[in-house]
């Protein structure tokens, strides 16, 4: 249980800076000129996003990649089946590379174990069934969903 709790805290560590860069007014950073999603051309936000994309996020992603390698099962906690930590992390990783200007869509390409985590989670029968019932199918190369044909 403690390991899963720690992994869930990793999600906060990974995404805290990105969340602040999206919504700086919620955290007091509008005082230094950051505009986040209110102004997509804000130079202060762009500087923060560049730092996140080239240093901060890769450092955290490498740490998660190592956790997956050390666990040996493909799941974050090293368990035989996914835990709540996997189900928390996967949609956030998808969001990371699909909904955040200044964060390259290719960011996860350097982390094959994280890519596999996303793909394996999205291939679980219950997950596939859930999205099928919504008329959607997962598209692994884009980390997004398409309407079923």
């Amino acid at each position: 249980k403690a390991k899963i709790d720690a992994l869930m805290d990793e999600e906060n560590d990974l995404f805290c800076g990105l969340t602040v860069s999206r919504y700086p007014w919620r955290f007091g950073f509008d005082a230094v000129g950051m505009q986040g999603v209110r102004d997509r051309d804000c130079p202060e936000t762009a500087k923060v996003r560049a730092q996140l994309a080239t240093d901060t996020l890769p450092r955290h992603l490498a740490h998660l990649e190592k956790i997956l390698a050390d666990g040996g099962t493909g799941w974050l906690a090293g368990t035989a089946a996914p835990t709540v930590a996997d189900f928390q992390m996967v949609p956030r990783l998808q969001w990371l590379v699909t909904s955040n200007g200044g964060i390259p869509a290719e960011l996860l390409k350097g982390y094959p174990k994280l890519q596999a985590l996303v793909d394996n989670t999205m291939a679980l029968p219950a997950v596939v069934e859930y999205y099928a019932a919504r008329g959607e199918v997962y598209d692994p190369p884009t980390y997004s969903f398409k309407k079923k044909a």
Side-chain angles (χ1 to χ4, degrees), residues 46-141:
K47 287 180 204 173
V48 170
R49 289 292 177 91
Q51 180 71 21
L52 287 168
T54 60
D55 179 58
T56 309
L57 292 170
R59 187 175 60 246
H60 286 286
L61 293 170
H63 179 66
L64 289 172
E65 186 82 356
K66 182 176 181 335
I67 288 171
L68 284 165
D70 292 348
T73 65
W75 303 113
L76 286 168
T79 51
T83 68
V84 66
D86 301 293
F87 290 113
Q88 177 191 34
M89 188 64 72
V90 166
R92 297 288 279 160
L93 290 170
Q94 292 168 313
W95 173 78
L96 172 67
V97 295
T98 60
S99 301
N100 291 289
I103 304 301
E106 308 80 31
L107 186 61
L108 292 181
K109 290 196 186 322
Y111 308 95
K113 293 187 183 327
L114 285 171
Q115 287 180 290
L117 172 68
V118 173
D119 292 345
N120 292 339
T121 300
M122 298 310 296
L124 291 168
V127 174
V128 171
E129 289 172 23
Y130 171 80
Y131 286 104
R134 294 171 44 136
E136 297 175 328
V137 63
Y138 179 64
D139 181 46

